[in-house]
Amino acid sequence: GIQVEQSPPDLILQEGANSTLRCNFSDSVNNLQWFHQNPWGQLINLFYIPSGTKQNGRLSATTVATERYSLLYISSSQTTDSGVYFCAVPLTNAGKSTFGDGTTLTVKP
Amino acid sequence: DARVTQTPRHKVTEMGQEVTMRCQPILGHNTVFWYRQTMMQGLELLAYFRNRAPLDDSGMPKDRFSAEMPDATLATLKIQPSEPRDSAVYFCASGLGTGLGGLFFGEGSRLTVL
């Protein structure tokens, strides 16, 4: 099945810094999603982005499907950005759902 | 504001007891997923349904777990008998069958089996 790899596994930032999280996937996909799991455990949709670029406030994401990777950009990070960021292929052609292991982000004040 | 609703939010029970978790998917979504999250295993897919039919439950321990969709507005995940190793957060998510638009998660049911 499709493998989803995220990097880095852990990231510590000072408030105000920018960061880039990466997601590599092993096969072509027609759906890809980024989630943020906050410290309370809620899984929040950030982007549904099988291709192209989207922006939402300080966050943006780009997926280059032909090269099998996606990037999540966080600008001017805030302490509330802390948590785990997951990249996922919600539904593969084989009918499977695959999540990466996540990037744990800690933003320090 | 459409959302996936899960109950109970928290459940503490003793080993051997039956546990039932419920999920109301977003209206119009025809695909429902059950995931389990633990510190050790991350997010594991247990089962998923499309148009109420189970498509894949290979991630679910068959001897004690069962998942059903009695109707389009309700999905259930049952554990009988429960064991301490079942302690985890169980998430339900819903989406469109094609995967387009992505998945939307409920807030999870935190299960503790003593």
Side-chain angles (χ1 to χ4, degrees), chain A residues 30-31 33 35 37 40-43 45 48 86 90-91 94-99, chain B residues 33 35 37 43 45 48 50 56 58 91 97-105 107:
Chain A
N30 58 11
N31 59 103
Q33 200 166 358
F35 295 92
Q37 188 164 37
W40 295 270
Q42 295 175 308
L43 276 159
N45 291 331
Y48 173 75
F86 288 103
L91 192 62
K96 298 294 183 183
S97 176
T98 304
F99 277 72
Chain B
F33 295 76
Y35 292 87
Q37 187 176 37
L43 270 162
L45 177 64
Y48 83 94
R50 182 179 296 166
D56 187 354
S58 58
F91 287 100
T98 58
L100 293 177
L103 294 183
F104 294 79
F105 278 80
E107 295 190 325

Side-chain angles (χ1 to χ4, degrees), chain A residues 1-19:
Chain A
I2 289 178
Q3 305 297 315
V4 177
E5 293 184 355
Q6 292 186 242
S7 60
D10 299 280
L11 187 58
I12 299 174
L13 298 175
Q14 207 65 39
E15 197 168 30
N18 303 328
S19 62

Side-chain angles (χ1 to χ4, degrees), chain B residues 9-55:
Chain B
R9 292 292 312 281
H10 302 274
K11 175 75 174 179
V12 180
T13 190
E14 294 190 346
M15 184 172 63
Q17 297 299 305
E18 178 178 300
V19 175
T20 299
M21 289 167 275
R22 293 176 174 82
C23 168
Q24 181 176 5
I26 291 173
L27 189 65
H29 283 181
N30 65 343
T31 306
V32 174
F33 295 76
W34 282 105
Y35 292 87
R36 175 170 64 182
Q37 187 176 37
T38 63
M39 291 294 290
M40 299 302 294
Q41 297 291 335
L43 270 162
E44 304 172 78
L45 177 64
L46 297 176
Y48 83 94
F49 295 79
R50 182 179 296 166
N51 298 323
R52 296 176 54 201
L55 289 192

